[in-house]
Amino acid sequence: MSDSDDFAHRLEALENRAAITEVVLRYARAIDRCDEAMLRSCFHPDARHRHGNFDGASADFCGFALEIVRKVELSHHQLGPVSIELAGEVAYAETYYTALHRFGATPPPSGEPHEDRFSGGRYVDRFERRDGQWRIAERRGISEWMRYEPAADRGFYDGPADQRGRRDRDDPVYRGG
């Protein structure tokens, strides 16, 4: 293999890793912003999904997950390292995550939240590149831990509303900052 071939191979591997990582990041944004179109764009149409009590088509998981997330007052997913093994048109990825889900009868500031659920785990994914696009073909969500705490904001909602994230397309990320 020549130096230019080796460089091209390494560059392609970096491009593939970046594209796969972007899908993983897009998934977290889609869940936290309740963006169904973005969430569905992370999966191939025939993708499979196992996460918690769900085992079925990823297309069905998208609706299932958003139904749950829309009922909580907020969610926030933080992603850790993404480890990717490339194998031609297939790739295997493992991503660590932590998540917060705020449960309550009515959203602040009008009501009192009653519980924060923190969890951590991993997404174990099989990606496939089809028609030049990397998407998840199979996802398994693995839970490692969960912690339940009474909700406490200590004045968070006293600050300007435009300084807090939103769970829709009015969030600053959709306006470019």
Side-chain angles (χ1 to χ4, degrees):
M1 182 181 287
S2 72
D3 286 344
S4 63
D5 289 342
D6 183 51
F7 177 78
H9 179 72
R10 287 185 291 138
L11 181 59
E12 180 183 11
L14 287 171
E15 289 173 339
N16 289 334
R17 289 175 192 281
I20 289 166
T21 301
E22 185 58 35
V23 172
V24 174
L25 297 172
R26 200 167 63 232
Y27 175 88
R29 177 188 290 177
I31 289 288
D32 291 340
R33 304 284 71 86
C34 298
D35 188 331
E36 187 167 355
M38 182 180 287
L39 184 60
R40 291 184 183 284
S41 77
C42 297
F43 300 96
H44 286 295
D46 60 344
R48 302 288 303 160
H49 213 107
R50 288 188 293 160
H51 195 123
N53 294 330
F54 186 90
D55 187 354
S58 294
D60 294 336
F61 177 83
C62 292
F64 171 81
L66 287 174
E67 182 179 333
I68 292 169
V69 172
R70 285 181 178 130
K71 290 179 183 175
V72 301
E73 293 170 18
L74 64 87
S75 65
H76 178 92
H77 288 74
Q78 188 73 37
L79 301 178
V82 181
S83 175
I84 301 167
E85 296 176 25
L86 298 169
E89 300 297 302
V90 175
Y92 301 92
E94 176 187 48
T95 306
Y96 283 75
Y97 72 86
T98 55
L100 162 65
H101 294 86
R102 163 69 52 88
F103 289 81
T106 57
S110 61
E112 289 298 318
H114 74 277
E115 185 173 75
D116 286 338
R117 293 182 191 171
F118 298 90
S119 63
R122 295 173 288 136
Y123 302 124
V124 177
D125 297 321
R126 181 174 53 82
F127 278 81
E128 293 179 6
R129 182 170 49 188
R130 300 180 191 170
D131 298 323
Q133 297 292 311
W134 286 103
R135 293 186 184 186
I136 300 167
E138 184 176 353
R139 167 162 279 188
R140 182 166 181 201
I142 299 174
S143 297
E144 301 282 356
W145 57 269
M146 186 163 290
R147 181 178 176 150
Y148 302 84
E149 294 184 7
D153 290 315
R154 297 189 179 148
F156 176 75
Y157 288 95
D158 295 341
D162 66 345
Q163 296 299 311
R164 294 190 300 271
R166 295 193 41 111
R167 301 189 73 217
D168 55 29
R169 294 193 67 81
D170 288 331
D171 187 85
V173 74
Y174 294 100
R175 295 189 308 260

